[in-house]
Amino acid sequence: MANRSIQYKVGLFIVTTIVLVILAALFIAYKKDLFADLAMYRLQSESGEGLTQGMPVLFSGFEIGKVKDLELSDKGQVVITITVPRKHVRWIREESTFTLEKPLVGTPRIVVRTENPEGKELSYSKVVPMKTIDDINEVIKKAQPLVERIQSVADNIDRMTNADSELNKIIADTRKMTKMLSEKKSLLEMATGDKKGQETLMKTLEQVAAITETVDGTMKRIDGMVAKADESVLGDKGSIAIVNNILSDIEGKFKRLDTLIDNAITMSADLQGTTQDINLVRKEVEETISSVNKLIQDVRNSLPFEQKKEIKLP
Amino acid sequence: MNTSSWLEKLGGAVLDNWHELRQLLGFAYTVFRRLFAPSSYRPLTVDILTTQIYFTAVQILGFFIVVSVLFGSLFIGMTLFVIKEIGLTSYIGQFIAGVVVLEMAPLVTVLLIALRSGSAINAEMAVMKVNRELDALTAFNIDIARYLFLPRIIAVMVSVVLLSSLFAIIVTLSGLIFSALIFGMGFNAYADLIAKAIEYKDFLILMVKSAAFGFFITFIPLYYGSRAGYQLTAVPVSVLRGMVNVFIAIVVIEVLSLVARFL
């Protein structure tokens, strides 16, 4: 029989390890809210794709519950029952939104969003519709135009590399040109096709050079003429200087003329005043004559003299 | 070599292997029958069982804890560092639950026990065979499967299950230290991550896998030890064959457990 010491050590080892395992299991159970009071809610989805029992329910990235059950309703929709520990119930309100998110990497999850945690608590009897966001489909949708562009580029490359393509024709032509160039002495000979043509072209070029020389000389002479004309027109004693002097003189004369005109205007104003004075004198003379006439008539009436038909005015 | 002799050799090899397999299955059947028979658990059997657990688990406990802390901490530390570098911090829990608890804990434990106790049991049986002790026990009508094999198998099974659990707990706790150092993570945050990643089926898989490891790393050495020849030179040959088959059994169980886990 094994001695008591061995039995004690073995017993202690077994009991300690089993206790540790049980404690670890209980701790995990506690952390998994296995002993917590759970509240249940019901969600509704058009499809059960991506939904599994035990799927996490997240709020602000923190797991607050799990999917407990999935069932098909009479209307053909999926009813999802989720459980949430009582301590997290305040995040599940009537206006809370539930979204099934299927990320590109990682497991799908139901995400809860609650704007007002003080709102009315969601009731089990109310079945809340759930939205779905599928990252993979979103990526495919976004990548579709890119794939189409790549396809288009591939088609273009395919067309370009086709045996009958323009690119291949250009390459073939280039090859021909290179071959021709290697067989001819110069590019000119290749371009004209024969030696005579090259010689003719060379002669023409020489003639063009002679013409250019002549034109050059002519241009030099024209330049000299232009320089002389420039001197006679724009020089110190040129036409422009003389015209400038004449214009200055005319300007001075115009200034004097302006003074004369001003004087004439003043004189005209004075003359107008004088005319008005003459009118007044005339009026006074007329009045005087009229008074004298009246006086004469009075005298005539007073005196018994034959009245003469004519009266001599003073 | 003509065709008929080649066929003869092939047929001979098949028959030999078939014979070997039948004997192995017969041996397994005998052990299993004793394993579930209440009459097998007599005071003497329990006494041998206790001694075997002492030799297999308690004697190496200090060494095992040091290995667990050192190896586990280094492994966890390096892996958490890589996880941080590639930005997969949220998968710490899955990594520790999936890799450390389910894969590394039983594997490290079984390798240690197989190297230490499996080879010792194989050599012990082979020596008993050489010394004709097994024949003597049989001659006295003592059931060697009940008194020799069963206590050792159960003891190793229990030891591997308990030590694997201990390893998982120690390494998970050392993960706490490294996650605090590398990520500045508190105890509650770490515990939440681990708790959410570990499922109860993981506990079950760990226990069943460890028990299966314990069974085969004892059963195979016992079989090959008890089938050794009567010469002293048969002892190393028996240990060699036994340990190679133990290694194959470990790989097969590991693969089967992975298949079972992801099915």
Side-chain angles (χ1 to χ4, degrees):
Chain A
M1 188 174 179
N3 66 44
R4 295 186 72 82
S5 167
I6 288 176
Q7 286 178 342
Y8 173 76
K9 284 176 183 172
V10 170
L12 187 67
F13 165 69
I14 291 172
V15 170
T16 310
T17 313
I18 288 173
V19 166
L20 278 174
V21 171
I22 290 170
L23 283 176
L26 287 175
F27 180 73
I28 286 166
Y30 167 73
K31 281 285 175 189
K32 280 179 171 290
D33 295 321
L34 204 74
F35 308 121
D37 185 17
L38 300 172
M40 284 200 287
Y41 303 100
R42 288 189 299 171
L43 312 176
Q44 182 181 289
S45 173
E46 293 294 325
S47 164
E49 198 181 346
L51 289 165
T52 50
Q53 281 186 342
M55 176 187 279
V57 178
L58 304 181
F59 178 81
S60 298
F62 191 83
E63 190 177 323
I64 60 165
K66 276 189 187 329
V67 171
K68 185 176 181 283
D69 196 23
L70 298 166
E71 57 184 324
L72 201 60
S73 71
D74 295 338
K75 292 177 183 172
Q77 290 180 320
V78 181
V79 177
I80 307 133
T81 307
I82 61 168
T83 55
V84 176
R86 284 277 165 211
K87 62 181 177 181
H88 296 312
V89 158
R90 62 192 165 133
W91 306 118
I92 312 287
R93 303 284 103 179
E94 273 196 347
E95 77 274 14
S96 297
T97 58
F98 296 85
T99 312
L100 171 65
E101 288 187 358
K102 298 177 186 173
L104 209 56
V105 177
T107 52
R109 74 284 298 268
I110 293 173
V111 175
V112 187
R113 287 184 182 85
T114 305
E115 296 295 329
N116 178 23
E118 306 301 324
K120 196 178 171 189
E121 190 190 334
L122 182 64
S123 153
Y124 177 75
S125 57
K126 189 177 177 185
V127 182
V128 185
M130 185 176 69
K131 290 185 289 182
T132 302
I133 297 175
D134 195 338
D135 278 5
I136 295 166
N137 285 339
E138 290 292 318
V139 168
I140 290 170
K141 209 181 281 177
K142 281 179 186 170
Q144 192 60 36
L146 186 67
V147 171
E148 281 169 7
R149 290 284 303 277
I150 291 168
Q151 183 64 45
S152 163
V153 170
D155 288 346
N156 284 335
I157 291 170
D158 191 40
R159 261 202 304 277
M160 283 165 71
T161 53
N162 197 348
D164 300 329
S165 69
E166 293 299 318
L167 186 69
N168 272 334
K169 283 177 185 170
I170 290 166
I171 292 169
D173 289 346
T174 310
R175 195 175 292 136
K176 275 182 194 169
M177 280 175 70
T178 315
K179 193 180 173 189
M180 283 166 72
L181 190 61
S182 65
E183 288 167 356
K184 306 288 180 185
K185 283 184 179 173
S186 66
L187 271 173
L188 197 61
E189 191 183 335
M190 190 194 78
T192 54
D194 63 346
K195 269 191 173 181
K196 279 185 181 174
Q198 185 196 351
E199 285 166 8
T200 309
L201 193 65
M202 286 305 291
K203 277 179 186 170
T204 308
L205 286 173
E206 281 167 9
Q207 283 172 359
V208 167
I211 291 165
T212 309
E213 203 173 327
T214 311
V215 169
D216 194 37
T218 309
M219 288 306 290
K220 276 178 185 171
R221 282 199 297 280
I222 289 169
D223 279 349
M225 284 165 72
V226 168
K228 281 176 186 171
D230 192 41
E231 179 63 29
S232 63
V233 173
L234 299 171
D236 293 340
K237 293 178 181 175
S239 309
I240 297 291
I242 294 164
V243 169
N244 277 339
N245 289 335
I246 292 166
L247 286 173
S248 304
D249 191 38
I250 289 169
E251 195 182 0
K253 282 175 180 171
F254 269 123
K255 277 179 184 169
R256 286 200 297 278
L257 199 61
D258 279 348
T259 315
L260 281 173
I261 288 167
D262 289 343
N263 292 337
I265 289 166
T266 312
M267 281 170 71
S268 171
D270 292 345
L271 196 61
Q272 196 176 4
T274 310
T275 309
Q276 281 173 354
D277 292 342
I278 288 169
N279 283 337
L280 282 173
V281 170
R282 189 180 156 190
K283 219 177 246 182
E284 283 174 5
V285 169
E286 278 177 356
E287 281 174 2
T288 309
I289 289 168
S290 177
S291 301
V292 170
N293 280 340
K294 198 178 173 188
L295 183 64
I296 290 167
Q297 191 64 39
D298 287 344
V299 169
R300 188 176 286 162
N301 289 339
S302 314
L303 298 175
F305 305 120
E306 192 181 353
Q307 202 171 1
K308 291 182 179 177
K309 287 183 183 177
E310 282 185 8
I311 297 170
K312 280 191 182 179
L313 291 173
Chain B
M1 186 187 289
N2 58 39
T3 313
S4 64
S5 67
W6 181 81
L7 279 172
E8 273 175 22
K9 280 204 168 189
L10 180 68
V14 169
L15 285 174
D16 285 348
N17 281 310
W18 173 241
H19 183 65
E20 181 89 16
L21 185 67
R22 277 183 65 187
Q23 284 192 326
L24 187 71
L25 289 172
F27 186 72
Y29 171 72
T30 309
V31 171
F32 259 104
R33 217 178 58 187
R34 300 285 190 282
L35 197 65
F36 296 105
S39 60
S40 300
Y41 299 94
R42 292 176 182 174
L44 184 60
T45 316
V46 175
D47 195 38
I48 300 168
L49 176 70
T50 310
T51 313
Q52 190 62 48
I53 290 175
Y54 177 78
F55 288 133
T56 310
V58 180
Q59 254 191 354
I60 62 156
L61 195 58
F63 173 70
F64 182 79
I65 289 170
V66 171
V67 167
S68 306
V69 170
L70 286 179
F71 184 73
S73 301
L74 277 174
F75 183 76
I76 280 214
M78 285 191 295
T79 316
L80 292 190
F81 188 76
V82 174
I83 282 178
K84 186 189 175 187
E85 288 291 305
I86 57 176
L88 295 174
T89 315
S90 54
Y91 292 94
I92 290 175
Q94 278 89 338
F95 162 74
I96 290 178
V99 178
V100 175
V101 174
L102 288 182
E103 302 301 330
M104 211 175 79
L107 191 65
V108 171
T109 309
V110 80
L111 284 175
L112 193 67
I113 302 293
L115 288 171
R116 189 176 182 273
S117 301
S119 55
I121 289 169
N122 198 329
E124 185 189 12
M125 283 301 120
V127 170
M128 283 177 84
K129 185 71 188 286
V130 171
N131 291 337
R132 297 184 184 271
E133 289 175 54
L134 297 182
D135 292 342
L137 288 169
T138 310
F140 283 108
N141 205 21
I142 293 169
D143 188 355
I144 56 169
R146 180 177 293 164
Y147 290 105
L148 288 180
F149 302 158
L150 197 63
R152 284 169 175 78
I153 287 174
I154 294 169
V156 175
M157 282 171 77
V158 169
S159 300
V160 174
V161 169
L162 293 179
L163 289 176
S164 295
S165 307
L166 199 62
F167 185 94
I169 291 168
I170 290 170
V171 175
T172 309
L173 286 176
S174 66
L176 170 66
I177 297 163
F178 277 92
S179 59
L181 288 174
I182 295 172
F183 301 109
M185 196 181 280
F187 174 78
N188 268 330
Y190 179 78
D192 280 338
L193 277 175
I194 299 294
K196 279 174 180 56
I198 291 182
E199 298 292 332
Y200 289 106
K201 68 168 188 176
D202 295 341
F203 274 103
L204 189 68
I205 292 172
L206 175 68
M207 299 296 167
V208 171
K209 192 174 168 180
S210 301
F213 274 143
F215 178 81
F216 282 101
I217 65 165
T218 324
F219 169 77
I220 292 169
L222 282 171
Y223 174 75
Y224 283 100
S226 63
R227 285 182 49 78
Y230 290 104
Q231 309 83 21
L232 271 174
T233 50
V235 175
V237 175
S238 160
V239 174
L240 186 146
R241 289 183 68 192
M243 294 318 288
V244 167
N245 283 291
V246 160
F247 179 75
I248 292 167
I250 289 170
V251 173
V252 170
I253 293 167
E254 190 62 48
V255 171
L256 288 176
S257 79
L258 281 174
V259 171
R261 208 176 130 201
F262 291 106
L263 274 181

